[in-house]
């Protein structure tokens, strides 16, 4: 390829460190598509004869069929997917294949191929997250009234509904979808035609190739176009935030599935056993989601560090842009699929959840609020009175609503029998009816909105 400039071939070490075909062969579909768009434009512009353009396009179809049937061969002497395809094309159609690379460089070629791949990855992530949202909304609808303890600091705070809890993750993954959509929008400019870094002297039609490949416009600056990897970083940043949300949900399922909690039984198909302890049912899929998400974060870090010191335009360091993106995309797809399966197949032990809410003094805030509203007690004083009531209930091993009126009045005589309407977990969640609150009526409203947005059948 570039032997005319060099008296000697590359050493074995150079050959190995330079070859990217083991990983960039994943771009073969994008490379074929971009090459076909490029040669069609060359033919339309009269840069390549109609006969050669037709032969090249037909030859590329034959190469694609071979790749589809047999995979992409790995010849390290050919370095990458671009030269692998061009070499095979030459074997199939002869010297006309050499005209394909007119008015382009591997620099704009790889930027185009990679951007096409990442655009598709954004679309795939959005679709997978949509399926996860459907699973969450479906289960939230089932459990709009199921009471569980809400936590802060992993300590029982206030009672909430399971439906409300699940819908919180629906919101998180909705933001993730918006980030992938935003990233996809910023990938709307096509680098093809920027050549090595300065553009080309051939009368090419960049609008034509951009449109053929599904881009809105060509890139406006050739230096930026061949050295830009913001699109890959955008994808990895969106993937990282999505991974953080997946990991949080995985952590909750792991904790909930433990015997001390006992809130959920995860599906057998996404759990494993122990080689020595026959009683064990381990939440390994959730744990692997939690672990894999750390690798997604690592992929982002890898590319950030690679790009941080590169001057314009292309540098060979940028060959290392693809492995972290490919790894992150594969891991993210697997994690979303696993989490969707866990949400769909989980058995929620709602009686156990309710019991934990009742015994965790989750309605303490409701007692304080009642004192403020009904007895005109300043909140700080009400907070102190409620703390004394919780201490008494804890010493007796009962819920707050199981204390007698006499016991409560011994703490503060301003408490009367009306207080019991506020102390049950049912009354507590029902009272949280502000927009976005945990009250069942609010959960059902949010579920209905989500179903409409997701196109779910009622």
């Amino acid at each position: 390829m570039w032997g005319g400039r060099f008296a000697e071939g590359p050493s074995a070490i150079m050959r190995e460190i330079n070859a990217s075909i083991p990983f960039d062969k994943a771009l073969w579909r994008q490379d074929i598509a971009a090459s076909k768009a490029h040669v069609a434009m060359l033919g339309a512009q009269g840069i390549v004869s109609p006969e050669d353009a037709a032969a090249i396009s037909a030859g590329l179809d034959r190469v694609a069929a071979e790749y589809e049937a047999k995979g992409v061969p790995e010849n390290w002497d050919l370095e990458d997917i671009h030269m692998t395809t061009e070499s095979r094309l030459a074997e199939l159609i002869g010297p006309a294949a050499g005209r394909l690379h007119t008015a382009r460089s591997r620099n704009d070629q790889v930027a185009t191929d990679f951007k096409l791949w990442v655009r598709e990855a954004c679309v795939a992530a959005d679709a997978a997250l949509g399926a996860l949202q459907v699973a969450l909304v479906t289960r939230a609808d089932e459990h709009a009234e199921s009471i569980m303890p809400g936590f802060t600091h992993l300590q029982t705070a206030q009672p909430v509904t399971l439906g409300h809890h699940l819908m919180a993750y629906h919101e998180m993954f909705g933001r993730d979808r918006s980030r992938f959509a935003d990233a996809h929008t910023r990938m709307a400019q096509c680098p093809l035609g920027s050549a090595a870094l300065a553009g080309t002297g051939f009368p090419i039609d960049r609008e034509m190739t951009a449109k053929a490949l599904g881009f809105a416009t060509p890139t406006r600056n050739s230096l930026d176009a061949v050295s830009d990897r913001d699109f890959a970083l955008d994808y990895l940043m969106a993937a990282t935030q999505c991974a953080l949300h997946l990991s949080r949900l995985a952590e909750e399922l792991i904790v909930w599935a433990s015997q001390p909690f006992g809130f959920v039984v995860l599906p057998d198909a996404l759990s494993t056993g122990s080689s020595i302890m026959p009683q064990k049912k381990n939440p390994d899929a959730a744990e692997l989601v939690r672990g894999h998400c750390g690798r997604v974060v690592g992929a982002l870090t890898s590319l950030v560090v690679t790009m941080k010191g590169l001057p314009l335009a292309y540098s060979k360091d940028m060959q290392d842009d693809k492995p972290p993106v490919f790894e992150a995309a594969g891991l993210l797809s697997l994690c979303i699929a696993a989490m969707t399966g866990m949400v769909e197949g989980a058995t929620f032990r709602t009686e156990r959840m309710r019991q934990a809410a009742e015994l965790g003094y989750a309605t303490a805030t409701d007692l304080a609020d009642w004192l403020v509203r009904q007895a005109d007690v300043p909140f700080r004083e009400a907070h102190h009175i409620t703390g004394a009531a919780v201490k008494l209930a804890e010493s007796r091993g009962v819920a707050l609503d199981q204390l007698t009126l006499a016991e409560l009045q011994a703490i503060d005589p301003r408490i009367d029998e009306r207080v019991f309407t506020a102390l049950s977990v049912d009354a507590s969640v029902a009272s949280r009816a502000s927009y976005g609150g945990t009250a069942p009526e609010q959960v059902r409203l949010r579920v209905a909105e989500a179903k409409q947005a997701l196109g779910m059948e009622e």
Side-chain angles (χ1 to χ4, degrees), residues 80-231:
D80 56 31
I81 183 60
H82 320 299
M83 296 311 302
T84 297
T85 297
E86 188 173 325
S87 174
R88 180 56 181 153
L89 181 66
E91 292 173 352
L92 292 173
I93 70 170
R99 301 189 185 279
L100 172 60
H101 209 53
T102 305
R104 77 175 185 186
S105 162
R106 283 192 297 176
N107 292 356
D108 63 333
Q109 191 178 359
V110 69
T112 302
D113 294 354
F114 194 24
K115 186 177 280 191
L116 285 169
W117 192 96
V118 176
R119 278 166 62 92
E120 293 170 15
C122 288
V123 172
D126 177 75
L129 285 169
L132 176 52
Q133 284 186 299
V134 167
L136 287 163
V137 170
T138 299
R139 301 311 304 273
D141 195 17
E142 295 173 19
H143 293 287
E145 297 186 17
S146 300
I147 293 173
M148 64 172 289
F151 298 96
T152 61
H153 308 276
L154 206 57
Q155 304 293 313
T156 299
Q158 293 176 310
V160 297
T161 58
L162 175 57
H164 191 55
H165 196 109
L166 294 172
M167 288 300 289
Y169 283 97
H170 165 267
E171 293 295 322
M172 293 184 207
F173 294 125
R175 292 194 296 274
D176 292 327
R177 294 183 71 182
S178 74
R179 277 183 278 270
F180 283 114
D182 290 345
H184 187 273
T185 298
R186 282 190 294 277
M187 298 176 201
Q189 296 180 328
C190 181
L192 192 60
S194 299
L197 75 162
T200 179
F202 290 95
I204 61 174
D205 184 348
R206 294 192 63 207
E207 294 282 354
M208 179 179 174
T209 50
K211 183 177 180 181
L213 293 171
F215 291 98
T217 63
T219 51
R220 292 185 292 268
N221 185 287
S222 59
L223 279 169
D224 177 56
V226 299
S227 60
D228 166 41
R229 291 300 183 269
D230 285 3
F231 62 90

Side-chain angles (χ1 to χ4, degrees), residues 197 223 226-228 306-318:
L197 75 162
L223 279 169
V226 299
S227 60
D228 166 41
T306 295
M307 296 301 298
K308 72 173 181 63
L310 299 186
L312 294 176
Y314 181 84
S315 296
K316 195 66 170 180
D317 313 45
M318 293 168 67

Side-chain angles (χ1 to χ4, degrees), residues 226-241:
V226 299
S227 60
D228 166 41
R229 291 300 183 269
D230 285 3
F231 62 90
L233 289 168
D234 274 352
Y235 174 81
L236 288 174
M237 288 176 181
T240 294
Q241 288 184 278

Side-chain angles (χ1 to χ4, degrees), residues 140-458:
D141 195 17
E142 295 173 19
H143 293 287
E145 297 186 17
S146 300
I147 293 173
M148 64 172 289
F151 298 96
T152 61
H153 308 276
L154 206 57
Q155 304 293 313
T156 299
Q158 293 176 310
V160 297
T161 58
L162 175 57
H164 191 55
H165 196 109
L166 294 172
M167 288 300 289
Y169 283 97
H170 165 267
E171 293 295 322
M172 293 184 207
F173 294 125
R175 292 194 296 274
D176 292 327
R177 294 183 71 182
S178 74
R179 277 183 278 270
F180 283 114
D182 290 345
H184 187 273
T185 298
R186 282 190 294 277
M187 298 176 201
Q189 296 180 328
C190 181
L192 192 60
S194 299
L197 75 162
T200 179
F202 290 95
I204 61 174
D205 184 348
R206 294 192 63 207
E207 294 282 354
M208 179 179 174
T209 50
K211 183 177 180 181
L213 293 171
F215 291 98
T217 63
T219 51
R220 292 185 292 268
N221 185 287
S222 59
L223 279 169
D224 177 56
V226 299
S227 60
D228 166 41
R229 291 300 183 269
D230 285 3
F231 62 90
L233 289 168
D234 274 352
Y235 174 81
L236 288 174
M237 288 176 181
T240 294
Q241 288 184 278
C242 181
L244 296 180
H245 294 151
L246 288 166
S247 187
R248 293 181 72 181
L249 179 53
E251 170 67 10
E252 294 210 299
L253 292 177
I254 292 163
V255 171
W256 289 2
S258 66
Q259 281 76 18
F261 271 77
F263 286 2
V264 68
V265 177
L266 295 177
D268 287 353
L270 291 166
S271 304
T272 67
S274 165
S275 63
I276 190 173
M277 295 170 285
Q279 84 279 11
K280 295 292 292 297
K281 181 178 179 180
N282 299 325
D284 280 8
E287 291 174 356
L288 287 167
V289 167
R290 186 175 60 185
H292 287 353
C293 289
R295 293 169 62 188
V296 174
V297 176
L300 170 63
T301 303
S302 172
L303 187 54
V304 166
V305 173
T306 295
M307 296 301 298
K308 72 173 181 63
L310 299 186
L312 294 176
Y314 181 84
S315 296
K316 195 66 170 180
D317 313 45
M318 293 168 67
Q319 183 168 288
D320 284 340
D321 57 356
K322 288 168 282 297
V325 175
F326 292 162
E327 180 183 26
L331 290 170
L332 189 69
S333 175
L334 184 60
C335 289
I336 295 172
M339 192 56 66
T340 302
M342 279 183 274
V343 171
E344 289 175 340
T347 300
F348 293 105
R349 301 178 62 194
T350 53
E351 286 303 314
R352 172 66 178 156
M353 289 181 169
R354 182 187 179 92
Q355 181 185 30
E358 289 175 337
L359 293 180
Y361 310 107
T363 59
T365 305
D366 298 273
L367 174 55
D369 289 347
W370 183 91
L371 285 163
V372 171
R373 287 194 306 266
Q374 302 298 329
D376 195 26
V377 177
F379 182 79
R380 285 301 170 201
E381 185 181 353
H383 187 285
H384 181 80
I385 295 166
T386 301
V390 168
K391 185 176 181 180
L392 176 60
E394 188 175 41
S395 71
R396 292 193 49 211
V398 299
L400 279 173
D401 62 351
Q402 293 177 314
L403 292 174
T404 67
L405 179 58
E407 287 172 326
L408 289 169
Q409 287 181 331
I411 296 170
D412 193 284
R414 290 169 289 188
I415 299 174
D416 61 43
E417 66 277 355
R418 294 174 299 168
V419 75
F420 292 104
T421 63
L423 291 184
S424 71
V425 291
D426 298 280
S428 177
V429 296
S431 71
R432 302 296 195 265
S434 57
Y435 185 90
T438 192
E441 65 183 75
Q442 282 294 316
V443 174
R444 291 193 183 93
L445 286 172
R446 302 292 83 75
V447 165
E449 292 168 353
K451 283 186 173 183
Q452 183 176 15
L454 292 166
M456 297 171 64
E457 294 289 338
E458 286 289 349

Side-chain angles (χ1 to χ4, degrees), residues 62-92:
R62 290 176 62 187
V63 175
E66 291 178 0
Y67 290 170
E68 190 71 62
K70 302 176 183 178
V72 179
E74 291 188 22
N75 181 346
W76 286 15
D77 289 330
L78 295 173
E79 295 187 13
D80 56 31
I81 183 60
H82 320 299
M83 296 311 302
T84 297
T85 297
E86 188 173 325
S87 174
R88 180 56 181 153
L89 181 66
E91 292 173 352
L92 292 173

